[in-house]
């Protein structure tokens, strides 16, 4: 963690020297398209995330433009590849800012997002991030916003679910090399007692680990009703497959929203049956009660599936919603000036396929724990639990 922080700090220091303090930004002109910059990981370790970020953002832009644009002007989104590298993300941000971006849809790579955010504050350009690191918005930072549910919001909703279904004794395994996983576990541990949950076993692993036998051996005799796993990417798939093959005495396997897409369920295959996984509302769009929320999901899902063949993963929803939020803020501000857009975001409430965002000057996360679904994998599909169905029927009928 120290090495990562030091590296990001060096990147930011260098970037600030390049950017300068007196640079002006475009986007506030009353003529021509309103420029939005997007940084996406189109190559490197985070390619699946970045590619879907790009698809989701472009779909939102196309739909908004087809409806007449914003303030009578079209949106124009320009995407630059950060190559899953913080230094490249910084270069992309500076290039797009100099070209006149009025706002940004950020990179999905948390380390890159954390490296870029000081530049957004220095240049005073709103940056709406699809990356999942809570540190981006805790505490709320000027010009920086977030679209995925925070790890803290997901952790709290899962704790509520464990309490409701009697899973009061739990085990946890988390990736010590993944800042998202570490944050998720810390947030869950801090609130566990509030919901009467006792974590009776704590196991760790690293991102490159391929054998989880020792984790299962330690957890098996702990008396835990379930194993909560905080991870992203390949370790989650490998662990899930090995868990299914192990004799775990009916213990449930639980994952965060990082696994709430076909990018997880497809490679896991039959081993995923019965896994509990959190998600935003967009992921379970087909199972939502008839409502304005479902209408907003369908508006995104149908054209995405037609164009790409698959139900959109959460990463596509994250950037789609980022564009919607930026467009709504431009309309609210009646201006494409970056500072006025940020001021509008600070008091914006918007229904999106992810749920209802409520940004304030002190809350740049937008989605609370009540905007998180708890689901099970059934026949390869992510479907809401009865507990979440009941919650949705109550909340959406009001």
């Amino acid at each position: 963690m120290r090495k990562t922080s030091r590296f990001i700090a060096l990147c930011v220091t260098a970037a600030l020297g390049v950017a300068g303090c007196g640079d002006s930004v475009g986007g506030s002109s009353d003529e021509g398209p309103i420029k939005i910059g997007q940084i996406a990981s189109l190559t490197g370790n985070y390619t699946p995330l970045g590619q879907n970020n790009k698809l989701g953002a472009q779909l939102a832009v196309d739909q908004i433009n087809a409806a007449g644009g914003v303030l009578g002007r079209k949106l124009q989104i320009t995407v630059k590849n950060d190559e899953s590298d913080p230094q490249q993300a910084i270069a992309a941000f500076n290039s797009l800012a100099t070209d006149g971006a009025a706002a940004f849809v950020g990179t999905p790579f948390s380390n890159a997002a954390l490296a870029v955010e000081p530049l957004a504050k220095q240049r005073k350009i709103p940056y709406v991030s699809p990356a999942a690191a809570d540190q981006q918005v805790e505490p709320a930072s000027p010009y920086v916003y977030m679209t995925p549910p925070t790890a803290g919001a997901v952790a709290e909703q899962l704790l509520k679910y464990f309490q409701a279904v009697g899973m009061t004794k739990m085990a946890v395994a988390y990736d010590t090399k993944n800042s998202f996983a570490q944050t998720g576990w810390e947030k869950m541990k801090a609130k566990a007692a509030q919901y009467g949950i006792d974590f009776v076993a704590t196991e760790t692993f690293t991102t490159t680990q391929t054998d989880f036998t020792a984790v299962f051996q330690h957890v098996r005799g702990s008396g835990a009703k379930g194993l909560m796993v905080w991870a992203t990417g390949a370790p989650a798939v490998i662990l899930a497959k090995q868990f299914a093959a192990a004799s775990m005495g009916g213990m449930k396997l639980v994952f965060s929203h990082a696994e709430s897409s076909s990018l997880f369920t497809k490679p896991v295959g039959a081993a995923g049956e019965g896994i509990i996984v959190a998600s935003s509302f967009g992921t379970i769009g087909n199972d939502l009660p008839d409502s304005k929320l479902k209408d907003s999901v369908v508006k995104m899902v149908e054209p995405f599936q037609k164009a790409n063949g698959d139900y959109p993963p959460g990463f596509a929803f994250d950037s789609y919603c980022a564009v919607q939020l930026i467009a709504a803020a431009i309309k609210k501000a009646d201006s494409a000036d970056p500072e006025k857009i940020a001021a509008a975001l600070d008091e914006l409430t918007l229904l999106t396929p992810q749920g209802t965002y409520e940004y304030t000057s002190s809350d740049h996360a937008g989605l609370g724990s009540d905007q998180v679904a708890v689901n099970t994998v059934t026949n390869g599909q992510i479907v809401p639990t009865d507990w979440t169905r009941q919650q949705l029927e109550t909340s959406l009928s009001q």
Side-chain angles (χ1 to χ4, degrees), residues 15-29:
L16 289 173
V18 172
C21 294
D23 293 351
S24 61
V25 295
S28 59
S29 170

Side-chain angles (χ1 to χ4, degrees), residues 23 32 36 38 80 104 172 186 217 236 245 307 338 365:
D23 293 351
I36 297 175
Q38 182 177 15
K80 286 193 175 291
F104 276 84
V172 66
E186 289 300 321
Q217 287 176 340

